[in-house]
Protein backbone atom coordinates (compact mmCIF):
# COMPACT_ATOMS: atom_id res chain seq x y z
CA UNK A 1 0.00 0.00 0.00
CA UNK A 2 1.18 3.51 -0.76
CA UNK A 3 2.02 5.74 2.20
CA UNK A 4 -0.08 8.56 0.74
CA UNK A 5 -3.14 6.26 0.81
CA UNK A 6 -2.42 5.42 4.46
CA UNK A 7 -2.01 9.08 5.35
CA UNK A 8 -5.31 9.96 3.69
CA UNK A 9 -7.30 7.55 5.88
CA UNK A 10 -9.51 8.78 8.68
CA UNK A 11 -8.35 8.29 12.26
CA UNK A 12 -5.05 8.52 14.08
CA UNK A 13 -2.07 6.25 13.48
CA UNK A 14 1.50 5.61 14.47
CA UNK A 15 4.36 4.41 12.26
CA UNK A 16 7.89 3.26 13.15
CA UNK A 17 11.40 3.60 11.80
CA UNK A 18 14.00 0.83 12.05
CA UNK A 19 17.56 0.66 10.77
CA UNK A 20 19.50 -2.16 9.11
CA UNK A 21 22.65 -3.70 10.65
CA UNK A 22 25.98 -1.96 10.14
CA UNK A 23 27.84 -5.29 9.98
CA UNK A 24 27.02 -8.69 8.50
CA UNK A 25 27.36 -10.37 11.89
CA UNK A 26 24.63 -8.18 13.40
CA UNK A 27 22.14 -9.07 10.68
CA UNK A 28 20.20 -11.83 12.48
CA UNK A 29 19.74 -9.92 15.74
CA UNK A 30 18.71 -6.72 13.95
CA UNK A 31 16.30 -8.59 11.70
CA UNK A 32 14.73 -10.28 14.74
CA UNK A 33 14.24 -6.87 16.45
CA UNK A 34 12.66 -5.36 13.33
CA UNK A 35 10.32 -8.34 13.00
CA UNK A 36 9.27 -7.97 16.63
CA UNK A 37 8.50 -4.31 15.89
CA UNK A 38 6.56 -5.33 12.77
CA UNK A 39 4.44 -7.67 14.90
CA UNK A 40 3.12 -4.60 16.72
CA UNK A 41 1.38 -3.74 13.41
CA UNK A 42 2.05 -0.02 13.08
CA UNK A 43 0.57 1.86 10.10
CA UNK A 44 3.89 1.40 8.26
CA UNK A 45 7.59 0.88 8.93
CA UNK A 46 10.43 2.80 7.32
CA UNK A 47 13.82 1.14 6.94
CA UNK A 48 16.80 3.48 6.77
CA UNK A 49 19.70 3.14 4.34
CA UNK A 50 23.39 3.11 5.20
CA UNK A 51 25.31 4.14 2.12
CA UNK A 52 28.74 3.18 3.42
CA UNK A 53 30.07 -0.39 3.52
CA UNK A 54 28.60 -3.50 2.00
CA UNK A 55 25.41 -3.72 4.08
CA UNK A 56 23.15 -1.45 2.04
CA UNK A 57 21.32 -4.47 0.57
CA UNK A 58 19.90 -5.19 4.04
CA UNK A 59 17.51 -2.25 3.76
CA UNK A 60 15.70 -4.03 0.99
CA UNK A 61 15.87 -7.42 2.66
CA UNK A 62 14.37 -6.12 5.90
CA UNK A 63 11.73 -4.02 4.10
CA UNK A 64 10.68 -7.03 2.05
CA UNK A 65 10.42 -9.32 5.11
CA UNK A 66 8.36 -6.80 7.07
CA UNK A 67 5.96 -6.44 4.16
CA UNK A 68 5.68 -10.04 3.04
CA UNK A 69 5.99 -11.99 6.30
CA UNK A 70 4.26 -9.51 8.61
CA UNK A 71 1.84 -7.69 6.30
CA UNK A 72 3.04 -4.23 7.32
CA UNK A 73 3.49 -1.61 4.55
CA UNK A 74 7.12 -0.52 4.24
CA UNK A 75 9.04 2.53 3.17
CA UNK A 76 12.58 1.81 1.94
CA UNK A 77 15.09 4.66 2.28
CA UNK A 78 17.68 5.37 -0.39
CA UNK A 79 20.52 7.91 -0.37
CA UNK A 80 22.46 9.18 -3.37
CA UNK A 81 25.17 11.72 -2.63
CA UNK A 82 28.20 9.45 -2.48
CA UNK A 83 26.95 6.99 -5.12
CA UNK A 84 27.51 6.60 -8.82
CA UNK A 85 24.63 6.62 -11.28
CA UNK A 86 25.18 2.91 -11.89
CA UNK A 87 24.83 2.08 -8.18
CA UNK A 88 21.70 4.17 -7.73
CA UNK A 89 20.09 2.76 -10.86
CA UNK A 90 20.91 -0.78 -9.73
CA UNK A 91 19.31 -0.11 -6.33
CA UNK A 92 16.21 1.32 -7.97
CA UNK A 93 15.96 -1.76 -10.22
CA UNK A 94 16.33 -4.00 -7.13
CA UNK A 95 13.52 -2.14 -5.37
CA UNK A 96 11.30 -2.43 -8.41
CA UNK A 97 11.99 -6.17 -8.64
CA UNK A 98 11.28 -6.61 -4.91
CA UNK A 99 7.86 -4.96 -5.28
CA UNK A 100 8.76 -1.96 -3.09
CA UNK A 101 6.05 0.67 -3.45
CA UNK A 102 7.36 3.44 -1.19
CA UNK A 103 10.80 5.05 -1.34
CA UNK A 104 12.25 7.77 0.88
CA UNK A 105 14.52 9.79 -1.41
CA UNK A 106 17.43 11.26 0.52
CA UNK A 107 20.65 12.98 -0.27
CA UNK A 108 22.54 11.42 2.64
CA UNK A 109 25.28 13.10 4.64
CA UNK A 110 28.44 14.04 2.79
CA UNK A 111 31.14 11.56 3.88
CA UNK A 112 34.04 13.17 5.79
CA UNK A 113 36.55 12.39 3.01
CA UNK A 114 34.34 14.09 0.39
CA UNK A 115 33.68 17.31 2.30
CA UNK A 116 35.11 20.41 0.69
CA UNK A 117 35.31 18.73 -2.74
CA UNK A 118 34.03 20.49 -5.85
CA UNK A 119 30.53 19.03 -6.24
CA UNK A 120 29.66 20.53 -9.59
CA UNK A 121 30.23 17.26 -11.47
CA UNK A 122 28.62 14.92 -8.97
CA UNK A 123 25.73 12.95 -10.46
CA UNK A 124 23.63 13.54 -7.32
CA UNK A 125 24.18 16.74 -5.38
CA UNK A 126 20.81 16.94 -3.67
CA UNK A 127 17.86 14.68 -2.89
CA UNK A 128 15.93 16.35 -5.69
CA UNK A 129 18.33 14.68 -8.18
CA UNK A 130 17.34 11.28 -6.79
CA UNK A 131 13.65 12.18 -6.92
CA UNK A 132 14.05 12.93 -10.63
CA UNK A 133 15.93 9.66 -11.17
CA UNK A 134 13.14 7.71 -9.42
CA UNK A 135 10.55 9.42 -11.60
CA UNK A 136 12.53 8.67 -14.75
CA UNK A 137 12.84 4.99 -13.77
CA UNK A 138 9.24 4.49 -14.86
CA UNK A 139 8.36 2.66 -11.61
CA UNK A 140 5.22 3.82 -9.85
CA UNK A 141 6.92 4.60 -6.52
CA UNK A 142 5.27 6.72 -3.88
CA UNK A 143 8.17 9.04 -3.01
CA UNK A 144 8.84 10.60 0.37
CA UNK A 145 11.38 13.24 1.37
CA UNK A 146 12.98 14.61 4.53
CA UNK A 147 12.34 18.04 6.04
CA UNK A 148 13.77 19.99 8.93
CA UNK A 149 11.55 22.03 11.30
CA UNK A 150 14.73 23.52 12.81
CA UNK A 151 16.40 24.06 9.39
CA UNK A 152 18.88 21.67 7.78
CA UNK A 153 22.31 22.21 9.41
CA UNK A 154 23.89 23.21 6.07
CA UNK A 155 21.28 25.83 5.22
CA UNK A 156 22.18 29.46 5.82
CA UNK A 157 18.56 30.27 6.68
CA UNK A 158 15.09 28.76 6.75
CA UNK A 159 13.72 30.67 3.78
CA UNK A 160 16.29 29.07 1.50
CA UNK A 161 15.77 25.61 3.03
CA UNK A 162 12.01 25.89 2.41
CA UNK A 163 12.58 27.12 -1.16
CA UNK A 164 14.61 23.97 -1.92
CA UNK A 165 12.06 21.83 -0.10
CA UNK A 166 9.39 23.19 -2.44
CA UNK A 167 11.62 22.31 -5.41
CA UNK A 168 11.91 18.73 -4.07
CA UNK A 169 8.15 18.45 -3.65
CA UNK A 170 7.49 19.90 -7.10
CA UNK A 171 9.85 17.26 -8.55
CA UNK A 172 7.66 14.45 -7.19
CA UNK A 173 7.87 14.08 -3.39
CA UNK A 174 4.37 13.13 -2.19
CA UNK A 175 4.87 13.29 1.58
CA UNK A 176 7.50 14.56 4.01
CA UNK A 177 8.88 13.13 7.24
CA UNK A 178 10.51 15.51 9.69
CA UNK A 179 13.78 15.38 11.51
CA UNK A 180 13.31 14.74 15.23
CA UNK A 181 12.35 17.68 17.46
CA UNK A 182 11.64 17.99 21.17
CA UNK A 183 9.46 21.09 21.18
CA UNK A 184 6.22 20.75 19.22
CA UNK A 185 5.93 24.50 18.74
CA UNK A 186 8.87 24.28 16.33
CA UNK A 187 6.82 21.88 14.21
CA UNK A 188 3.68 24.03 14.27
CA UNK A 189 5.72 27.07 13.27
CA UNK A 190 7.40 25.15 10.44
CA UNK A 191 4.06 23.83 9.15
CA UNK A 192 2.70 27.35 9.00
CA UNK A 193 5.72 28.52 6.99
CA UNK A 194 5.77 25.66 4.48
CA UNK A 195 2.01 25.90 3.88
CA UNK A 196 2.49 29.62 3.27
CA UNK A 197 5.23 28.71 0.76
CA UNK A 198 2.77 26.52 -1.15
CA UNK A 199 3.91 23.08 0.08
CA UNK A 200 0.69 21.15 0.52
CA UNK A 201 1.80 17.48 0.80
CA UNK A 202 1.24 15.59 4.09
CA UNK A 203 3.94 16.06 6.74
CA UNK A 204 4.67 13.20 9.14
CA UNK A 205 6.36 14.41 12.34
CA UNK A 206 9.26 12.22 13.51
CA UNK A 207 9.57 11.68 17.26
CA UNK A 208 12.66 10.21 18.92
CA UNK A 209 12.11 8.73 22.39
CA UNK A 210 15.31 9.44 24.31
CA UNK A 211 15.59 6.41 26.58
CA UNK A 212 19.21 6.64 27.74
CA UNK A 213 21.16 9.60 29.08
CA UNK A 214 24.06 8.99 26.68
CA UNK A 215 21.70 9.17 23.67
CA UNK A 216 21.18 12.89 24.15
CA UNK A 217 24.56 14.14 22.93
CA UNK A 218 24.39 11.94 19.83
CA UNK A 219 20.85 13.06 19.03
CA UNK A 220 21.85 16.74 19.25
CA UNK A 221 24.97 16.12 17.17
CA UNK A 222 22.94 14.40 14.44
CA UNK A 223 19.97 16.71 14.34
CA UNK A 224 21.05 19.98 15.97
CA UNK A 225 17.73 19.84 17.83
CA UNK A 226 16.79 22.41 20.45
CA UNK A 227 16.35 20.86 23.91
CA UNK A 228 13.57 22.57 25.89
CA UNK A 229 14.25 23.28 29.56
CA UNK A 230 11.64 20.70 30.57
CA UNK A 231 13.51 18.03 28.64
CA UNK A 232 16.96 19.06 29.93
CA UNK A 233 15.67 18.86 33.54
CA UNK A 234 14.37 15.37 32.88
CA UNK A 235 17.75 14.20 31.55
CA UNK A 236 19.61 15.92 34.42
CA UNK A 237 17.41 14.18 36.96
CA UNK A 238 17.14 10.69 35.48
CA UNK A 239 20.02 10.40 32.97
CA UNK A 240 22.20 8.33 35.30
CA UNK A 241 19.42 5.89 36.24
CA UNK A 242 18.80 3.75 33.10
CA UNK A 243 15.38 2.38 34.11
CA UNK A 244 14.08 5.76 35.24
CA UNK A 245 15.47 7.53 32.15
CA UNK A 246 13.76 5.01 29.90
CA UNK A 247 10.42 5.52 31.62
CA UNK A 248 10.77 9.31 31.58
CA UNK A 249 11.91 9.37 27.92
CA UNK A 250 8.96 7.25 26.81
CA UNK A 251 6.58 9.45 28.80
CA UNK A 252 8.04 12.61 27.21
CA UNK A 253 7.71 11.14 23.68
CA UNK A 254 4.15 9.98 24.44
CA UNK A 255 3.27 13.46 25.64
CA UNK A 256 4.66 14.99 22.43
CA UNK A 257 2.67 12.52 20.30
CA UNK A 258 -0.60 13.20 22.15
CA UNK A 259 -0.11 16.94 21.72
CA UNK A 260 0.50 16.43 17.97
CA UNK A 261 -2.70 14.41 17.62
CA UNK A 262 -4.59 17.01 19.63
CA UNK A 263 -3.39 19.67 17.20
CA UNK A 264 -4.52 18.01 14.00
CA UNK A 265 -1.65 15.64 13.10
CA UNK A 266 -3.02 12.24 12.01
CA UNK A 267 0.12 10.09 11.76
CA UNK A 268 3.26 10.33 13.86
CA UNK A 269 6.49 8.47 13.03
CA UNK A 270 8.55 7.09 15.93
CA UNK A 271 12.30 6.53 15.64
CA UNK A 272 12.38 3.22 17.50
CA UNK A 273 16.18 2.72 17.38
CA UNK A 274 15.30 -0.98 16.86
CA UNK A 275 13.94 -1.24 20.42
CA UNK A 276 10.74 -3.35 20.38
CA UNK A 277 10.06 -2.71 24.09
CA UNK A 278 10.10 1.06 23.54
CA UNK A 279 7.81 0.81 20.49
CA UNK A 280 5.43 -1.49 22.40
CA UNK A 281 5.28 0.78 25.45
CA UNK A 282 4.45 3.84 23.35
CA UNK A 283 1.67 1.95 21.60
CA UNK A 284 0.32 0.80 24.97
CA UNK A 285 0.37 4.39 26.23
CA UNK A 286 -1.75 5.40 23.23
CA UNK A 287 -4.07 2.39 23.15
CA UNK A 288 -7.31 4.27 23.86
CA UNK A 289 -6.26 7.25 21.73
CA UNK A 290 -5.48 5.12 18.69
CA UNK A 291 -8.61 3.03 19.29
P1 LIG B 1 18.41 17.66 0.56
O1 LIG B 1 16.94 17.75 0.43
O2 LIG B 1 19.22 17.53 -0.69
O3 LIG B 1 18.90 18.94 1.37
C1 LIG B 1 20.25 19.02 1.86
C2 LIG B 1 20.69 20.46 1.95
O4 LIG B 1 20.86 21.01 0.64
C3 LIG B 1 19.68 21.38 2.65
O5 LIG B 1 20.41 22.35 3.36
C4 LIG B 1 18.92 22.02 1.49
O6 LIG B 1 18.37 23.29 1.83
C5 LIG B 1 20.04 22.15 0.45
N1 LIG B 1 19.56 22.07 -0.93
C6 LIG B 1 18.63 21.24 -1.44
N2 LIG B 1 18.49 21.43 -2.76
C7 LIG B 1 19.35 22.41 -3.10
C8 LIG B 1 19.70 23.07 -4.33
N3 LIG B 1 19.09 22.75 -5.47
N4 LIG B 1 20.66 24.01 -4.31
C9 LIG B 1 21.28 24.36 -3.15
N5 LIG B 1 21.00 23.78 -1.96
C10 LIG B 1 20.05 22.82 -1.93
N6 LIG B 1 20.54 9.52 6.09
C11 LIG B 1 20.98 8.31 5.66
O7 LIG B 1 22.18 8.16 5.35
N7 LIG B 1 20.13 7.23 5.55
C12 LIG B 1 18.80 7.34 5.86
O8 LIG B 1 18.06 6.37 5.73
C13 LIG B 1 18.30 8.60 6.33
N8 LIG B 1 17.00 8.78 6.64
C14 LIG B 1 16.54 10.02 7.04
C15 LIG B 1 15.17 10.19 7.32
C16 LIG B 1 14.69 11.43 7.73
C17 LIG B 1 13.22 11.59 8.03
C18 LIG B 1 15.58 12.53 7.88
C19 LIG B 1 15.08 13.86 8.35
C20 LIG B 1 16.93 12.37 7.59
C21 LIG B 1 17.43 11.12 7.16
N9 LIG B 1 18.77 10.93 6.85
C22 LIG B 1 19.24 9.70 6.42
C23 LIG B 1 19.73 12.03 6.99
C24 LIG B 1 19.85 12.86 5.68
O9 LIG B 1 20.44 12.06 4.68
C25 LIG B 1 20.70 14.09 5.97
O10 LIG B 1 20.01 14.96 6.83
C26 LIG B 1 21.24 14.85 4.78
O11 LIG B 1 22.21 15.79 5.24
C27 LIG B 1 20.23 15.63 3.96
O12 LIG B 1 19.40 14.81 3.25
P2 LIG B 1 18.12 15.44 2.48
O13 LIG B 1 17.55 14.32 1.70
O14 LIG B 1 17.25 16.16 3.42
O15 LIG B 1 18.87 16.47 1.49
Amino acid sequence: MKITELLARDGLSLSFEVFPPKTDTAFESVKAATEEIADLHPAFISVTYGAGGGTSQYTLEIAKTIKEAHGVPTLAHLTCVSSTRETVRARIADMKAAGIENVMALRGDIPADMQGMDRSNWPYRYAVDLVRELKESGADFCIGGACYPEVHPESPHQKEDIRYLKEKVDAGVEFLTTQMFFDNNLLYNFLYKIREAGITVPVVPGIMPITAGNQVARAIQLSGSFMPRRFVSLVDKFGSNPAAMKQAGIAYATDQIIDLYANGIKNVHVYTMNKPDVARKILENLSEILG
Side-chain angles (χ1 to χ4, degrees), residues 108-260:
D109 285 323
I110 315 245
D113 59 349
M114 292 172 83
Q115 304 230 358
M117 279 184 175
D118 172 18
R119 299 183 205 169
S120 53
N121 291 328
W122 290 10
Y124 306 100
R125 293 162 67 194
Y126 303 106
V128 68
D129 302 321
L130 177 58
V131 175
R132 293 187 179 121
E133 183 85 57
L134 285 161
K135 284 294 199 193
E136 281 165 20
S137 75
D140 184 25
F141 293 125
C142 171
I143 305 173
C147 64
Y148 303 82
E150 295 177 70
V151 186
H152 185 269
E154 291 166 33
S155 278
H157 47 73
Q158 194 171 40
K159 233 183 178 158
E160 192 172 309
D161 206 21
I162 292 178
R163 182 155 58 85
Y164 290 127
L165 185 63
K166 171 96 168 60
E167 186 187 27
K168 193 158 72 172
V169 170
D170 289 346
V173 164
E174 294 169 72
F175 69 95
L176 295 163
T177 306
T178 75
Q179 178 62 284
M180 68 181 89
F181 55 89
F182 299 94
D183 177 349
N184 289 359
N185 287 325
L186 294 163
L187 188 268
Y188 302 138
N189 199 291
F190 174 71
L191 285 178
Y192 176 79
K193 287 181 180 160
I194 65 166
R195 298 309 184 211
E196 204 180 28
I199 297 173
T200 56
V201 295
V203 175
V204 179
I207 296 296
M208 167 81 87
I210 298 288
T211 55
N214 61 7
Q215 216 184 321
V216 179
R218 176 101 180 110
I220 299 176
Q221 186 204 346
L222 281 177
S223 65
S225 302
F226 163 69
M227 297 279 163
R229 191 64 238 160
R230 198 165 77 83
F231 186 78
V232 174
S233 306
L234 181 152
V235 177
D236 282 350
K237 179 80 181 169
F238 304 115
S240 54
N241 177 340
M245 184 62 223
K246 191 171 191 175
Q247 193 168 44
I250 289 172
Y252 190 93
T254 305
D255 196 40
Q256 269 194 286
I257 296 168
I258 293 173
D259 181 73
L260 290 167

Side-chain angles (χ1 to χ4, degrees), residues 251-289:
Y252 190 93
T254 305
D255 196 40
Q256 269 194 286
I257 296 168
I258 293 173
D259 181 73
L260 290 167
Y261 288 150
N263 282 284
I265 300 292
K266 288 198 325 190
N267 187 84
V268 179
H269 202 53
V270 174
Y271 298 118
T272 69
M273 303 302 284
N274 291 356
K275 293 176 184 163
D277 57 332
V278 173
R280 184 178 301 108
K281 190 69 199 159
I282 289 180
L283 269 180
E284 279 170 18
N285 287 349
L286 299 169
S287 59
E288 296 300 327
I289 288 167

Side-chain angles (χ1 to χ4, degrees), residues 67-90:
K67 185 179 165 203
E68 290 174 5
H70 301 268
V72 177
T74 50
L75 168 63
H77 290 204
L78 182 63
T79 67
C80 60
V81 75
S82 54
S83 303
T84 62
R85 269 202 199 283
E86 291 67 35
T87 306
V88 168
R89 285 180 180 162

